[in-house]
Amino acid sequence: MLWETFLLAGREIRRNVMRSSLTMLGIVIGVAAVITMVTLGSGATEQVTSDISKLGSNLLQVRPGRDMHRPGGARDAGTPFELADSQAISREISGLKAVAPTAGTSIQVIAGNENVSTTVTGTTSEFLIARDWVLSAGRAFTASEVKSGKSVCILGSTVKKTLFDNQNPVGEMIRLQKIPFRIIGVLEEKGQTGFGMDQDDFVIIPLRAFQRRIAGNTEISTIFVSAKDGADTAKIQRDIERLMRDRRRILPGREDDFRVRDMKEIISTLTSTTKVLTALLGAVAGVSLLVGGIGIMNIMLVSVTERTREIGTRLAIGALERDVLTQFLVESVVLSSLGGVIGIILGLSAAYGLAGFLGVPFILNIGIVVIAFLFSGAVGIIFGYFPARKAAQLDPIEALRHE
Amino acid sequence: MEKTNTLKTPVIEMKGVVKEYGKGQSAMKALRGIDLSIDSGDFVAVMGPSGSGKSTCMNILGCLDTPTSGEYLFEGVDVGKLSRDQRALIRRYYLGFIFQGFNLLNRTSALENVELPLIYRGIPVRERHLRAKDALKSVGLEGWEKHTPGELSGGQQQRVAIARAIVTQPSILLADEPTGNLDSARSREIMDLLTQFNRERGITILMVTHDPHMAGFASSTVQFLDGMIETEEKKGNHH
């Protein structure tokens, strides 16, 4: 019986293709918009997330200065760290894989006739471990190179490409602020982040060499801490905070003048932006679905009026109120969910095309497809109910007399 | 719930049926106390000028409406006490309707039109097809199954409607001016069909008509006037 009703609904919809398509249009547009936006949004989120996890999983950054997002927290550079702070972290906190103190600056790098401006970071060999960075050629710093601050360097792939094209630069010399450094390694390419930041545009040298020959001081700007797999990063974060408060002699009740951030936090900051956008577009799509639903209600009311005699005949023949109600309800649900299906197909196609165009991965989010489908069906039930009830409650005598 | 033909007589009994439209002072009495008894197998012509109450009476007889007062017993059941859905079920299982305007579903094949009441009875597809084809054959429309009402003449459309009404093997057929829209030759065909179903299948027929010729096919005639039954004639050769 229900199957018959579906067939009947399908026939009624085909009977008036033009009108049915226009009726569905609102739903189609609404659903297509949701699907496109959510699919692109989750693609973008996925990319940002994977970019950031490329920066190193379980990674914490310890930086001087107050958190500027906190209310009343004016930007404050804070006292820089020292090497001893980094050593204290690795000595006193358990569950760590690597602790890498860093200091960096922007500098002119010269190799032969080529020169390029890039970031030079002074650090230890643990830096590569902390950040999960892999060498494509050469080797990392040895302990003695780090200790003595030898003039050796490792290039990011962008710098390598700019200065040496495809030649192997290992063993060559470059000059940083006129001081010659020997290249001992090149890092693998990591590509751009979702926001167009080149992750390969840098040179790393031993911390001591940076402090002595380039910066001329012993300041540490950021300490990278990476936790062992499965370690409790939240606990490590708290431990570092306690340790640093102690070392920096911050009285109880006073705010930290440094900040420990983990990558999850950075990700959530970025994804929350995406979420706000998605919610906004969701609201727009919701309005579109509402309008689409009203369109369906309108057409169903017209249809009930047009088919009054048919309804009368059905009632006379022995259709119950329920039967007529179901018939019209199924018709509006079929109409709206058909609109939903078309919207899903259009939305996914659009998202697929745009994803390629925007360079964002295309991620099929089955959840949202199912939700969109159910939602469009629900629109049919909600907005089809009133016309269907109107049809079901017709007086058969009046309906039969209707012209 | 398929009905059998071993029915008690009378199949229909009206006792002092009154129908009023509106309330209080402005109430309009369409029926002013109808007493009517119809036996199983009767072929009754209902006549009378417009406004005489015959349509109102037919609506009540067809369980589409209920009396304001009085009793309408359908096979002993007081229809006035039934709910809307219960009356729909009586129509579904015991009654067949034929209308002046045919009331077929447009752009729907003759076969599907005839199948319609069987769908509401929950008959499976195969059996439905067979029975609908059979019904169309019995009204002389074999080979016209795929045609839609738009492709059929008025007489053919009315025959489809008759097939739709008898496909369920109803105990009573209610026909509201079935020949009103047809010329005399088509009208004769329709009347022959109705007579045939009445004689061969024992279907009780109640037919509203203006035309004394058509009434001549019936075994008895009920004449309405001003909401009352004026005369009730029975042909001697029947009952």
Side-chain angles (χ1 to χ4, degrees), chain A residues 51 67 91 113 118 121 128 135 147 172 175 188 230-231 243 249 258 265 269 273 293 298 311 337 349 382 388 400:
Chain A
D51 281 345
D67 180 10
R91 191 174 57 239
N113 296 326
T118 186
T121 303
L128 299 184
L135 289 155
K147 204 170 175 192
E172 302 287 328
R175 275 176 296 151
E188 251 179 25
L243 177 68
R249 297 194 181 81
F258 63 92
E265 216 173 311
T269 314
T273 318
N298 184 27
I311 296 162
S337 34
S349 320
I382 292 162
L400 281 168

Side-chain angles (χ1 to χ4, degrees), chain B residues 132-208:
Chain B
K133 266 189 182 167
D134 231 36
L136 279 171
K137 195 175 163 187
S138 70
V139 298
L141 284 177
E142 201 177 7
W144 292 86
E145 289 88 350
K146 298 271 180 255
H147 291 72
T148 61
E151 299 162 354
L152 298 170
S153 71
Q156 286 173 319
Q157 288 188 51
Q158 192 59 301
R159 280 191 276 158
V160 174
I162 292 172
R164 181 180 65 189
I166 56 105
V167 73
T168 55
Q169 295 166 345
S171 40
I172 299 175
L173 202 58
L174 294 119
D176 189 1
E177 303 208 34
T179 60
N181 287 4
L182 303 173
D183 62 36
S184 60
R186 304 305 135 229
S187 297
R188 238 206 106 81
E189 284 173 22
I190 297 299
M191 292 317 297
D192 284 340
L193 270 175
L194 291 181
T195 313
Q196 182 197 331
F197 287 125
N198 175 245
R199 295 235 172 98
E200 292 173 9
R201 304 195 185 186
I203 298 175
T204 312
I205 298 180
L206 286 165
M207 177 182 72
V208 173

Side-chain angles (χ1 to χ4, degrees), chain A residues 8 10 42 46 57 76 97 123 153 199 207 226 230 251 265 288 321 335 392 400:
Chain A
L8 188 71
S42 53
E46 174 66 26
S57 45
D76 175 7
K97 189 163 78 181
T123 185
C153 66
Q199 302 181 88
L207 180 65
S226 94
L251 296 172
E265 216 173 311
S288 175
E321 271 185 45
L335 203 60
L400 281 168

Side-chain angles (χ1 to χ4, degrees), chain A residues 1-14 330-331 333-334 337:
Chain A
M1 184 69 200
L2 196 63
W3 176 239
E4 307 280 348
T5 318
F6 272 99
L7 288 181
L8 188 71
R11 194 190 303 159
E12 284 302 331
I13 288 163
R14 262 181 284 136
V330 164
E331 206 173 305
V333 170
V334 167
S337 34

Side-chain angles (χ1 to χ4, degrees), chain B residues 187-237:
Chain B
S187 297
R188 238 206 106 81
E189 284 173 22
I190 297 299
M191 292 317 297
D192 284 340
L193 270 175
L194 291 181
T195 313
Q196 182 197 331
F197 287 125
N198 175 245
R199 295 235 172 98
E200 292 173 9
R201 304 195 185 186
I203 298 175
T204 312
I205 298 180
L206 286 165
M207 177 182 72
V208 173
T209 182
H210 279 302
D211 188 339
H213 283 300
M214 301 305 139
F217 286 87
S219 54
S220 63
T221 304
V222 177
Q223 187 83 36
F224 274 75
L225 189 69
D226 297 335
M228 307 272 278
I229 291 176
E230 196 190 29
T231 54
E232 216 177 333
E233 287 170 31
K234 272 188 207 253
K235 280 187 189 170
N237 60 356

